[in-house]
Amino acid sequence: MTRVLLATFSLLPEGEEGGELLVTALAERGVEARWAVWDDPDVDWAAADLVVLRSTWDYQRRYAEFLAWLRGVERSTRVLHGSDLVAWNADKAYLLELGREVPVVPTALLDDRGLRVGLQEALDRWGAVVVKPRTGAGGVGVVVAERTDDPRLEGLVAGPWVVQPLVASVRTVGESSVWVLDGRVVGQVDKRPSGSEVRVHELYGGSSVAVEVDPARADVARAAVAAAGRLLAGPPAYARVDLVQLDGAWVVSELELIEPGLYLDVLPGLAGPFADLVGSVLAAR
């Protein structure tokens, strides 16, 4: 049996919720797989035929260390996804590049040196805005502001940041996540925040439900992944495309290529297509 290591982090040594479904699905396809913590010094990554980035959900806090680890692993075996793709996707400035190819939430860059001026320009342009760390995940450090002296800005984490308009539909319609594996749309989850919150994560009271794939959202998701392929050395093997409704159209809010959760607790059927993807990558070596 071919051996695959599914990279996770120390607080989830058995992987994301529902991770056993992925191990089982791979076994059914003749692929031996297990979860391994990415910074565990006892793991022999070189012994694997393939390392798959999965729930490495501390990478944003330890980005330089994580990227160095990833580059080291790449020297001894194959990794899905690799360091060049991770470096591009870890910096939300990618949205400016992607926005020249497909519709995205308008995005500008902020840093400490030009914070007040840049923030005022964004407020003048868009009204209420959302500020996010350029390298971040899980909604951590997301701040809504309506003026430069907004007390909520005291919650800013270390910069640099991106700033975007506050998309009002997030609080009413919510956000959709569409999974694209090997160019094929395989699932959709719709998410809603709680109360006045704009973050849809369960941590902040949000909820998620599996739904039938909407063709319009699927088209945008496929186009976003194809555009990423043109901007990178080739198309990403997997992606979760987060979409919001802006001016009546679905646009990309995030393109998650590094370690997007598969939401197996909500969409358990995604384990099979992901296992098929891993099998096809192994067969193509």
PDB file of all heavy atoms in Angstrom, residues 260-283:
ATOM      1  N   PRO A 260      -7.243  24.133   3.500  1.00  0.00           N
ATOM      2  CA  PRO A 260      -8.665  24.396   3.738  1.00  0.00           C
ATOM      3  C   PRO A 260      -9.363  23.228   4.405  1.00  0.00           C
ATOM      4  O   PRO A 260      -9.237  22.083   3.976  1.00  0.00           O
ATOM      5  CB  PRO A 260      -9.209  24.629   2.322  1.00  0.00           C
ATOM      6  CG  PRO A 260      -8.296  23.862   1.435  1.00  0.00           C
ATOM      7  CD  PRO A 260      -6.944  24.002   2.064  1.00  0.00           C
ATOM      8  N   GLY A 261     -10.077  23.514   5.472  1.00  0.00           N
ATOM      9  CA  GLY A 261     -10.863  22.475   6.118  1.00  0.00           C
ATOM     10  C   GLY A 261     -11.834  21.857   5.138  1.00  0.00           C
ATOM     11  O   GLY A 261     -12.423  22.538   4.294  1.00  0.00           O
ATOM     12  N   LEU A 262     -12.017  20.547   5.246  1.00  0.00           N
ATOM     13  CA  LEU A 262     -12.941  19.840   4.367  1.00  0.00           C
ATOM     14  C   LEU A 262     -14.363  19.793   4.921  1.00  0.00           C
ATOM     15  O   LEU A 262     -15.265  19.292   4.256  1.00  0.00           O
ATOM     16  CB  LEU A 262     -12.438  18.412   4.128  1.00  0.00           C
ATOM     17  CG  LEU A 262     -11.110  18.285   3.380  1.00  0.00           C
ATOM     18  CD1 LEU A 262     -10.704  16.824   3.264  1.00  0.00           C
ATOM     19  CD2 LEU A 262     -11.193  18.926   2.002  1.00  0.00           C
ATOM     20  N   TYR A 263     -14.556  20.293   6.168  1.00  0.00           N
ATOM     21  CA  TYR A 263     -15.884  20.299   6.784  1.00  0.00           C
ATOM     22  C   TYR A 263     -16.507  18.908   6.741  1.00  0.00           C
ATOM     23  O   TYR A 263     -17.691  18.751   6.420  1.00  0.00           O
ATOM     24  CB  TYR A 263     -16.797  21.325   6.110  1.00  0.00           C
ATOM     25  CG  TYR A 263     -16.509  22.757   6.475  1.00  0.00           C
ATOM     26  CD1 TYR A 263     -15.274  23.340   6.213  1.00  0.00           C
ATOM     27  CD2 TYR A 263     -17.468  23.541   7.103  1.00  0.00           C
ATOM     28  CE1 TYR A 263     -14.997  24.652   6.551  1.00  0.00           C
ATOM     29  CE2 TYR A 263     -17.216  24.858   7.448  1.00  0.00           C
ATOM     30  CZ  TYR A 263     -15.967  25.411   7.169  1.00  0.00           C
ATOM     31  OH  TYR A 263     -15.712  26.710   7.507  1.00  0.00           O
ATOM     32  N   LEU A 264     -15.725  17.902   7.064  1.00  0.00           N
ATOM     33  CA  LEU A 264     -16.211  16.520   6.975  1.00  0.00           C
ATOM     34  C   LEU A 264     -17.324  16.229   7.972  1.00  0.00           C
ATOM     35  O   LEU A 264     -18.096  15.284   7.780  1.00  0.00           O
ATOM     36  CB  LEU A 264     -15.043  15.555   7.174  1.00  0.00           C
ATOM     37  CG  LEU A 264     -13.970  15.617   6.077  1.00  0.00           C
ATOM     38  CD1 LEU A 264     -12.772  14.767   6.448  1.00  0.00           C
ATOM     39  CD2 LEU A 264     -14.544  15.185   4.733  1.00  0.00           C
ATOM     40  N   ASP A 265     -17.420  17.021   9.027  1.00  0.00           N
ATOM     41  CA  ASP A 265     -18.523  16.847   9.964  1.00  0.00           C
ATOM     42  C   ASP A 265     -19.839  17.339   9.367  1.00  0.00           C
ATOM     43  O   ASP A 265     -20.920  16.887   9.757  1.00  0.00           O
ATOM     44  CB  ASP A 265     -18.237  17.585  11.273  1.00  0.00           C
ATOM     45  CG  ASP A 265     -17.908  19.060  11.077  1.00  0.00           C
ATOM     46  OD1 ASP A 265     -17.308  19.397  10.028  1.00  0.00           O
ATOM     47  OD2 ASP A 265     -18.232  19.872  11.963  1.00  0.00           O
ATOM     48  N   VAL A 266     -19.771  18.247   8.399  1.00  0.00           N
ATOM     49  CA  VAL A 266     -20.952  18.790   7.734  1.00  0.00           C
ATOM     50  C   VAL A 266     -21.158  18.148   6.366  1.00  0.00           C
ATOM     51  O   VAL A 266     -22.286  17.919   5.933  1.00  0.00           O
ATOM     52  CB  VAL A 266     -20.807  20.329   7.575  1.00  0.00           C
ATOM     53  CG1 VAL A 266     -21.992  20.915   6.811  1.00  0.00           C
ATOM     54  CG2 VAL A 266     -20.664  20.996   8.933  1.00  0.00           C
ATOM     55  N   LEU A 267     -20.040  17.850   5.694  1.00  0.00           N
ATOM     56  CA  LEU A 267     -20.075  17.322   4.335  1.00  0.00           C
ATOM     57  C   LEU A 267     -19.205  16.058   4.266  1.00  0.00           C
ATOM     58  O   LEU A 267     -18.153  16.046   3.618  1.00  0.00           O
ATOM     59  CB  LEU A 267     -19.562  18.391   3.369  1.00  0.00           C
ATOM     60  CG  LEU A 267     -19.834  18.249   1.871  1.00  0.00           C
ATOM     61  CD1 LEU A 267     -21.325  18.195   1.595  1.00  0.00           C
ATOM     62  CD2 LEU A 267     -19.199  19.398   1.110  1.00  0.00           C
ATOM     63  N   PRO A 268     -19.623  14.979   4.959  1.00  0.00           N
ATOM     64  CA  PRO A 268     -18.779  13.780   5.022  1.00  0.00           C
ATOM     65  C   PRO A 268     -18.485  13.171   3.656  1.00  0.00           C
ATOM     66  O   PRO A 268     -17.455  12.513   3.469  1.00  0.00           O
ATOM     67  CB  PRO A 268     -19.584  12.817   5.901  1.00  0.00           C
ATOM     68  CG  PRO A 268     -20.998  13.315   5.846  1.00  0.00           C
ATOM     69  CD  PRO A 268     -20.891  14.804   5.713  1.00  0.00           C
ATOM     70  N   GLY A 269     -19.361  13.404   2.694  1.00  0.00           N
ATOM     71  CA  GLY A 269     -19.152  12.851   1.366  1.00  0.00           C
ATOM     72  C   GLY A 269     -17.960  13.429   0.638  1.00  0.00           C
ATOM     73  O   GLY A 269     -17.577  12.917  -0.425  1.00  0.00           O
ATOM     74  N   LEU A 270     -17.346  14.473   1.195  1.00  0.00           N
ATOM     75  CA  LEU A 270     -16.173  15.067   0.550  1.00  0.00           C
ATOM     76  C   LEU A 270     -14.925  14.206   0.731  1.00  0.00           C
ATOM     77  O   LEU A 270     -13.941  14.384   0.005  1.00  0.00           O
ATOM     78  CB  LEU A 270     -15.939  16.469   1.111  1.00  0.00           C
ATOM     79  CG  LEU A 270     -15.187  17.470   0.230  1.00  0.00           C
ATOM     80  CD1 LEU A 270     -15.865  17.617  -1.120  1.00  0.00           C
ATOM     81  CD2 LEU A 270     -15.090  18.817   0.928  1.00  0.00           C
ATOM     82  N   ALA A 271     -14.963  13.280   1.673  1.00  0.00           N
ATOM     83  CA  ALA A 271     -13.786  12.431   1.910  1.00  0.00           C
ATOM     84  C   ALA A 271     -13.449  11.601   0.674  1.00  0.00           C
ATOM     85  O   ALA A 271     -12.267  11.447   0.325  1.00  0.00           O
ATOM     86  CB  ALA A 271     -14.028  11.525   3.115  1.00  0.00           C
ATOM     87  N   GLY A 272     -14.452  11.064   0.009  1.00  0.00           N
ATOM     88  CA  GLY A 272     -14.212  10.223  -1.158  1.00  0.00           C
ATOM     89  C   GLY A 272     -13.554  10.970  -2.306  1.00  0.00           C
ATOM     90  O   GLY A 272     -12.517  10.538  -2.824  1.00  0.00           O
ATOM     91  N   PRO A 273     -14.107  12.110  -2.743  1.00  0.00           N
ATOM     92  CA  PRO A 273     -13.461  12.858  -3.815  1.00  0.00           C
ATOM     93  C   PRO A 273     -12.047  13.308  -3.468  1.00  0.00           C
ATOM     94  O   PRO A 273     -11.168  13.322  -4.341  1.00  0.00           O
ATOM     95  CB  PRO A 273     -14.399  14.062  -4.017  1.00  0.00           C
ATOM     96  CG  PRO A 273     -15.735  13.572  -3.579  1.00  0.00           C
ATOM     97  CD  PRO A 273     -15.452  12.639  -2.439  1.00  0.00           C
ATOM     98  N   PHE A 274     -11.816  13.676  -2.189  1.00  0.00           N
ATOM     99  CA  PHE A 274     -10.459  14.084  -1.826  1.00  0.00           C
ATOM    100  C   PHE A 274      -9.514  12.887  -1.883  1.00  0.00           C
ATOM    101  O   PHE A 274      -8.367  13.008  -2.334  1.00  0.00           O
ATOM    102  CB  PHE A 274     -10.431  14.731  -0.439  1.00  0.00           C
ATOM    103  CG  PHE A 274      -9.180  15.536  -0.198  1.00  0.00           C
ATOM    104  CD1 PHE A 274      -9.120  16.869  -0.552  1.00  0.00           C
ATOM    105  CD2 PHE A 274      -8.049  14.962   0.370  1.00  0.00           C
ATOM    106  CE1 PHE A 274      -7.972  17.612  -0.346  1.00  0.00           C
ATOM    107  CE2 PHE A 274      -6.895  15.689   0.577  1.00  0.00           C
ATOM    108  CZ  PHE A 274      -6.852  17.026   0.207  1.00  0.00           C
ATOM    109  N   ALA A 275      -9.978  11.740  -1.444  1.00  0.00           N
ATOM    110  CA  ALA A 275      -9.164  10.526  -1.546  1.00  0.00           C
ATOM    111  C   ALA A 275      -8.883  10.168  -3.008  1.00  0.00           C
ATOM    112  O   ALA A 275      -7.782   9.736  -3.361  1.00  0.00           O
ATOM    113  CB  ALA A 275      -9.856   9.365  -0.834  1.00  0.00           C
ATOM    114  N   ASP A 276      -9.874  10.353  -3.870  1.00  0.00           N
ATOM    115  CA  ASP A 276      -9.663  10.123  -5.299  1.00  0.00           C
ATOM    116  C   ASP A 276      -8.577  11.043  -5.838  1.00  0.00           C
ATOM    117  O   ASP A 276      -7.738  10.638  -6.666  1.00  0.00           O
ATOM    118  CB  ASP A 276     -10.956  10.364  -6.078  1.00  0.00           C
ATOM    119  CG  ASP A 276     -11.990   9.258  -5.848  1.00  0.00           C
ATOM    120  OD1 ASP A 276     -11.602   8.136  -5.463  1.00  0.00           O
ATOM    121  OD2 ASP A 276     -13.190   9.543  -6.044  1.00  0.00           O
ATOM    122  N   LEU A 277      -8.610  12.312  -5.410  1.00  0.00           N
ATOM    123  CA  LEU A 277      -7.596  13.268  -5.835  1.00  0.00           C
ATOM    124  C   LEU A 277      -6.208  12.810  -5.420  1.00  0.00           C
ATOM    125  O   LEU A 277      -5.267  12.808  -6.223  1.00  0.00           O
ATOM    126  CB  LEU A 277      -7.894  14.645  -5.239  1.00  0.00           C
ATOM    127  CG  LEU A 277      -6.790  15.683  -5.371  1.00  0.00           C
ATOM    128  CD1 LEU A 277      -6.568  16.056  -6.825  1.00  0.00           C
ATOM    129  CD2 LEU A 277      -7.087  16.909  -4.532  1.00  0.00           C
ATOM    130  N   VAL A 278      -6.072  12.415  -4.153  1.00  0.00           N
ATOM    131  CA  VAL A 278      -4.768  11.933  -3.678  1.00  0.00           C
ATOM    132  C   VAL A 278      -4.315  10.727  -4.491  1.00  0.00           C
ATOM    133  O   VAL A 278      -3.146  10.627  -4.887  1.00  0.00           O
ATOM    134  CB  VAL A 278      -4.843  11.586  -2.169  1.00  0.00           C
ATOM    135  CG1 VAL A 278      -3.567  10.905  -1.707  1.00  0.00           C
ATOM    136  CG2 VAL A 278      -5.087  12.858  -1.363  1.00  0.00           C
ATOM    137  N   GLY A 279      -5.243   9.823  -4.767  1.00  0.00           N
ATOM    138  CA  GLY A 279      -4.898   8.647  -5.561  1.00  0.00           C
ATOM    139  C   GLY A 279      -4.423   9.012  -6.950  1.00  0.00           C
ATOM    140  O   GLY A 279      -3.464   8.406  -7.474  1.00  0.00           O
ATOM    141  N   SER A 280      -5.058  10.009  -7.570  1.00  0.00           N
ATOM    142  CA  SER A 280      -4.649  10.414  -8.915  1.00  0.00           C
ATOM    143  C   SER A 280      -3.278  11.073  -8.905  1.00  0.00           C
ATOM    144  O   SER A 280      -2.484  10.887  -9.849  1.00  0.00           O
ATOM    145  CB  SER A 280      -5.696  11.353  -9.529  1.00  0.00           C
ATOM    146  OG  SER A 280      -5.729  12.599  -8.848  1.00  0.00           O
ATOM    147  N   VAL A 281      -2.978  11.825  -7.859  1.00  0.00           N
ATOM    148  CA  VAL A 281      -1.640  12.440  -7.744  1.00  0.00           C
ATOM    149  C   VAL A 281      -0.581  11.363  -7.594  1.00  0.00           C
ATOM    150  O   VAL A 281       0.491  11.414  -8.218  1.00  0.00           O
ATOM    151  CB  VAL A 281      -1.607  13.414  -6.548  1.00  0.00           C
ATOM    152  CG1 VAL A 281      -0.172  13.880  -6.271  1.00  0.00           C
ATOM    153  CG2 VAL A 281      -2.521  14.611  -6.815  1.00  0.00           C
ATOM    154  N   LEU A 282      -0.869  10.347  -6.780  1.00  0.00           N
ATOM    155  CA  LEU A 282       0.089   9.245  -6.604  1.00  0.00           C
ATOM    156  C   LEU A 282       0.285   8.487  -7.910  1.00  0.00           C
ATOM    157  O   LEU A 282       1.404   8.100  -8.245  1.00  0.00           O
ATOM    158  CB  LEU A 282      -0.419   8.302  -5.516  1.00  0.00           C
ATOM    159  CG  LEU A 282      -0.368   8.837  -4.086  1.00  0.00           C
ATOM    160  CD1 LEU A 282      -1.195   7.964  -3.166  1.00  0.00           C
ATOM    161  CD2 LEU A 282       1.073   8.916  -3.597  1.00  0.00           C
ATOM    162  N   ALA A 283      -0.787   8.282  -8.643  1.00  0.00           N
ATOM    163  CA  ALA A 283      -0.692   7.513  -9.894  1.00  0.00           C
ATOM    164  C   ALA A 283       0.071   8.258 -10.971  1.00  0.00           C
ATOM    165  O   ALA A 283       0.622   7.637 -11.883  1.00  0.00           O
ATOM    166  CB  ALA A 283      -2.098   7.192 -10.389  1.00  0.00           C
TER     167      ALA A 283
END
